[in-house]
C-alpha cells in the first residue's frame, strides 16, 4: 500500500478541518494510505500547489475539485 506525499501537512489527514466526518478514518484508509491519486485534495495539489488546496475540501469531493480547477484555468 502506498501513502500520499501530502500526509505530513494535510489538514484532512491531521484532523485540522472543521466538521471532520465520522467516516474520516475509513476515508484516510481509502485515500491517504491507498488510492490517493483519486483524492480531491490531491488532485488540486498536483495540478496547482499545496497552498491552493481549499481548506474545506474533502477527499471525496472530486467533482468540486474538478470545478475548482476549471475555474482556476479560466481566471
Ligand atoms: S490523500 Fe488527500 S486527504 Fe489524504 S493526505 Fe493526501 S491530499 Fe490529504
Amino acid at each position: 500500500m502506498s501513502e500520499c506525499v501530502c500526509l505530513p501537512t494535510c489538514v484532512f489527514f491531521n484532523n485540522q478541518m472543521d466538521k471532520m466526518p465520522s467516516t474520516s478514518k475509513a476515508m484516510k484508509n481509502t485515500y491517504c494510505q491507498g488510492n490517493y491519486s483519486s483524492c480531491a485534495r490531491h488532485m488540486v495539489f498536483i495540478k496547482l500547489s499545496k497552498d491552493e488546496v481549499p481548506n474545506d475540501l474533502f477527499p471525496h469531493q472530486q467533482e468540486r475539485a474538478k470545478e475548482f480547477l476549471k475555474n482556476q484555468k479560466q481566471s
Side-chain angles (χ1 to χ4, degrees), residues 3-74:
E3 284 190 347
C4 177
V5 294
C6 304
L7 283 188
T9 56
C10 179
V11 294
F12 175 77
F13 190 79
N14 293 289
N15 301 318
Q16 291 164 344
M17 291 176 78
D18 291 337
K19 300 181 190 156
M20 286 292 286
S22 58
T23 53
S24 63
K25 195 164 178 238
M27 288 166 75
K28 287 176 189 175
N29 284 337
T30 301
Y31 293 104
C32 311
Q33 294 168 315
N35 190 15
Y36 57 82
S37 61
S38 65
C39 167
R41 297 187 64 82
H42 192 265
M43 285 163 60
V44 177
F45 163 75
I46 288 291
K47 293 261 162 107
L48 300 176
S49 72
K50 172 178 159 273
D51 292 341
E52 296 194 68
V53 181
N55 267 340
D56 60 350
L57 182 67
F58 286 101
H60 65 292
Q61 295 179 317
Q62 290 90 351
E63 286 307 313
R64 189 178 157 209
K66 283 181 199 163
E67 231 7 72
F68 179 77
L69 289 169
K70 203 164 83 183
N71 291 337
Q72 292 294 309
K73 279 181 200 155
Q74 286 166 357

